[in-house]
Amino acid sequence: MSKKNRRNADRPAKKKRVIIPFVERPFEDLAPEAELVAMREILPLATLEATVSAEHGGEALTLTTILPGMASAIRREDGVLLVAVQTVMSSGDASLDIATSILKGLELKPGSSLEISEQPEPGPRLQDVIASFGEFTMYQQPDFWMTPEEAAKPDNQQALADSREQLVPTRAIAGVPGAYWCRMSHEFVRYVRPESRDAVLDALARMRTAGTASFDESRFIGAFRAQGLLIPVWQLQAGSEADELEKPMAKFAEAFDAAIASTEPLTADEKRARAGIVSRQVTLR
């Protein structure tokens, strides 16, 4: 045997990578599915309170959109456990990824953080780990990363303000769950719908054909798929603010709900409108 072959024989075999099956709708059957999808895909700063099942210790924790340095989890100095929904690593099953961060994060000591860069092994998912969910909250700056005492320090206040400047301004539309205003090159509304994609597509097709697929002089520009749900998008009039949309969007939401609930077959024109919407769909992960 040559020296090269002997060296190769002495090397330990690489651990075989386990293939995690892709899950199209990873948060299905969880009550805050739409909020989790929004946190994973479009919201810069939000939290969702949760409690781990008794089997895993029954601890209360806070799910967050992101954490400093894209950490997977942080145990604050006051003992509060923060677990990120947006992570560097993605296995194809977001529910598994987050559950893995939770279970590893439960072992953290105060003041320490967790970084996961490798794909997790098959194991419990959020549906197996979380016993209940609590309040969902959006923020304009990430002061929840720290204890109130830490966040009050001048240096930290400046750091938090700097972090805010790097994020897309985003606000929830009051009274319309799942609807989020944001300001980028223009102002937009992105509307996370919890119903099946087919039902939402049919509704959009009905409304486009009827000329009712907009509100407050907005323009429906398409929809994208994210974690198994559909997120329609409207471009707003320049300078539009979130609080100006409450009444027009509330009225629009009623019509949208009715269109989604309809079981009437699509007409030929509606089918053509649906095909046009589908052709412009984009998938996020």
Side-chain angles (χ1 to χ4, degrees):
M1 182 183 293
S2 68
K3 289 183 178 180
K4 180 178 179 181
N5 287 337
R6 282 200 300 271
R7 286 197 299 270
N8 289 338
D10 292 338
R11 289 177 182 171
K14 288 185 177 180
K15 186 177 179 181
K16 187 176 181 180
R17 181 178 177 182
V18 178
I19 302 300
I20 303 297
F22 174 73
V23 179
E24 183 178 19
R25 194 170 174 177
F27 306 127
E28 190 172 11
D29 298 326
L30 294 174
E33 180 184 15
E35 287 81 1
L36 286 165
V37 171
M39 290 175 69
R40 179 82 172 184
E41 302 292 354
I42 64 173
L43 299 182
L45 294 174
T47 61
L48 178 63
E49 303 302 322
T51 302
V52 175
S53 65
E55 176 187 357
H56 297 288
E59 181 176 339
L61 57 86
T62 300
L63 295 172
T64 79
T65 45
I66 57 174
L67 287 170
M70 293 303 292
S72 299
I74 287 177
R75 176 81 70 178
R76 290 190 333 200
E77 293 290 352
D78 59 359
V80 172
L81 177 61
L82 306 176
V83 177
V85 172
Q86 297 178 30
T87 57
V88 174
M89 184 282 306
S90 178
S91 72
D93 181 358
S95 181
L96 171 65
D97 298 343
I98 300 167
T100 298
S101 296
I102 289 173
L103 295 178
K104 291 181 180 294
L106 291 171
E107 302 173 2
L108 291 174
K109 302 295 183 184
S112 59
S113 63
L114 168 72
E115 294 183 7
I116 299 177
S117 57
E118 296 183 353
Q119 178 179 285
E121 296 291 329
R125 306 173 70 241
L126 274 181
Q127 288 84 342
D128 308 310
V129 170
I130 299 298
S132 63
F133 291 94
E135 185 176 3
F136 169 74
T137 308
M138 290 182 62
Y139 297 82
Q140 295 308 306
Q141 68 178 27
D143 46 6
F144 56 87
W145 287 349
M146 307 175 183
T147 64
E149 294 76 17
E150 290 176 310
K153 295 178 180 179
D155 288 349
N156 288 338
Q157 287 184 337
Q158 184 59 51
L160 292 171
D162 291 344
S163 296
R164 175 183 177 180
E165 292 300 317
Q166 301 174 27
L167 301 172
V168 173
T170 305
R171 289 175 174 77
I173 307 300
V176 186
Y180 302 98
W181 167 97
C182 67
R183 174 169 284 139
M184 294 185 278
S185 56
H186 299 278
E187 288 78 20
F188 299 91
V189 162
R190 298 178 286 187
Y191 196 177
V192 184
R193 295 298 311 201
E195 299 86 0
S196 73
R197 288 207 312 266
D198 284 342
V200 179
L201 282 170
D202 286 353
L204 288 169
R206 291 188 179 97
M207 298 180 81
R208 287 212 77 180
T209 304
T212 58
S214 63
F215 53 88
D216 198 40
E217 299 184 74
S218 62
R219 181 169 66 91
F220 173 67
I221 58 174
F224 59 89
R225 304 189 302 275
Q227 305 298 330
L229 298 185
L230 198 71
I231 306 180
V233 182
W234 288 264
Q235 183 175 328
L236 306 173
Q237 291 294 307
S240 296
E241 299 292 342
D243 57 1
E244 299 170 352
L245 301 173
E246 293 178 22
K247 289 183 178 180
M249 270 221 75
K251 183 177 180 180
F252 174 79
E254 290 183 8
F256 200 4
D257 290 344
I260 291 173
S262 174
T263 58
E264 289 295 317
L266 296 182
T267 66
D269 287 343
E270 290 168 346
K271 288 179 180 178
R272 283 192 288 272
R274 189 186 195 279
I277 296 169
V278 170
S279 69
R280 297 194 301 274
Q281 278 191 80
V282 175
T283 300
L284 298 185
R285 283 194 285 278

